[in-house]
Amino acid sequence: MSYFAVDDGAHSHPKFMAATNAALGLWVRTGSWVAQQLTDGHVPGTVAKLYGTPAQARSLVAAGLWHAAGHECPRCPQPRNGDYYMHDYAASGNKSRAEIKARREQSAAGSKRHRDRQAPKAPPPGEQLDLGGDEPDPPAPVRAPIRPDWQPTREDIHAAQVARGDAGLPPLTADQIDSVTTKFIRRQTDDGRLAVAWGGRWREWAENERTASPPAPGSNVVPLARAAGGSTADTRAAAAFQLAAQLEAEEN
């Protein structure tokens, strides 16, 4: 960013005293524009008209703060007809266009060197970049079709029986669990469904399975009778585990 320099003694300088306050406002505004556009003190006539009036421009020329074309100041260059030049622009502490551009290029080069130092270094050709850690990342879970021999776990059966008890439904017998599992596998296969694990979906089927009639006497059902001093939840959990143990014993 460039700046337009104003001396701290300008307020009482004879040339400032000779110009009107409105003209000095034009001088400051055009000075800011000149510094931004790097014109080295040249003020286009269009800019002078944009920020001020012809009377204000004449006041600056009369006070010696601006020069019009054809001026006789030996230290200042000649502007084009209709333009102005700010008297002693460079001598008043304002940087030239060349100085500002050189400073900007130097600053940009310094910023680039800093970014280059902060950037991660690429490994030499043939050398693998060490990102830390010796163990490879575990493989991502794979969604696959259900196996024809898939079976629910003891935990799946327990969770389904407890949920049925909470819903006021009777527990499933071993035969009913086998039937639910067979229907579940057939439906998932027919629909072409894929999953990482099937326990959760099976529990939903088992929880919602509607039995046609109460189990016949002698069926392999663990009753959910409340044990003395025990809670209903404890009783349901115990019954579910007993059923799972019976199923496991039958398989063996």
Side-chain angles (χ1 to χ4, degrees):
M1 180 180 294
S2 54
Y3 299 91
F4 175 58
V6 180
D7 189 272
D8 59 2
H11 61 91
S12 59
H13 192 279
K15 292 184 178 181
F16 268 59
M17 301 298 290
T20 64
N21 284 335
L24 292 176
L26 173 60
W27 182 82
V28 171
R29 294 188 70 181
T30 54
S32 173
W33 184 91
V34 164
Q36 181 191 55
Q37 301 299 320
L38 305 180
T39 66
D40 287 339
H42 289 273
V43 181
T46 53
V47 175
K49 293 178 182 179
L50 176 65
Y51 291 136
T53 65
Q56 294 165 359
R58 288 194 298 269
S59 176
L60 293 176
V61 171
L65 293 172
W66 274 8
H67 296 310
H71 69 86
E72 297 180 356
C73 178
R75 298 192 304 271
C76 298
Q78 289 289 340
R80 295 178 300 183
N81 287 333
D83 293 348
Y84 302 92
Y85 185 80
M86 306 190 79
H87 175 70
D88 280 347
Y89 180 80
S92 299
N94 294 294
K95 301 295 183 182
S96 68
R97 176 187 181 91
E99 289 175 317
I100 293 174
K101 293 191 68 175
R103 183 179 62 190
R104 290 176 178 175
E105 292 173 359
Q106 182 179 8
S107 176
S111 298
K112 183 179 183 303
R113 288 193 297 270
H114 176 73
R115 291 193 300 270
D116 292 343
R117 287 194 299 268
Q118 299 299 320
K121 303 297 182 183
E127 182 177 335
Q128 185 176 2
L129 180 63
D130 184 10
L131 298 179
D134 297 330
E135 297 296 330
D137 293 335
V142 178
R143 299 172 69 244
I146 192 169
R147 300 192 315 272
D149 60 347
W150 181 89
Q151 290 295 320
T153 65
R154 293 180 59 183
E155 290 76 11
D156 294 333
I157 296 173
H158 167 68
Q161 298 284 45
V162 171
R164 290 180 63 84
D166 291 340
L169 298 175
L172 298 174
T173 66
D175 291 340
Q176 289 170 338
I177 289 176
D178 289 341
S179 175
V180 169
T181 302
T182 300
K183 290 187 292 184
F184 175 75
I185 294 174
R186 184 183 303 116
R187 180 60 179 272
Q188 306 309 310
T189 301
D190 292 344
D191 292 348
R193 295 183 179 274
L194 303 176
V196 175
W198 296 97
R201 295 187 182 184
W202 181 89
R203 289 195 296 269
E204 293 180 5
W205 274 63
E207 292 168 12
N208 297 316
E209 178 72 7
R210 301 294 178 178
T211 55
S213 60
S219 299
N220 187 16
V221 176
V222 178
L224 293 179
R226 175 178 295 186
S231 66
T232 303
D234 291 340
T235 303
R236 288 198 301 268
F241 275 116
Q242 291 174 12
L243 177 58
Q246 292 177 8
L247 293 175
E248 184 175 0
E250 291 177 0
E251 292 177 358
N252 296 331

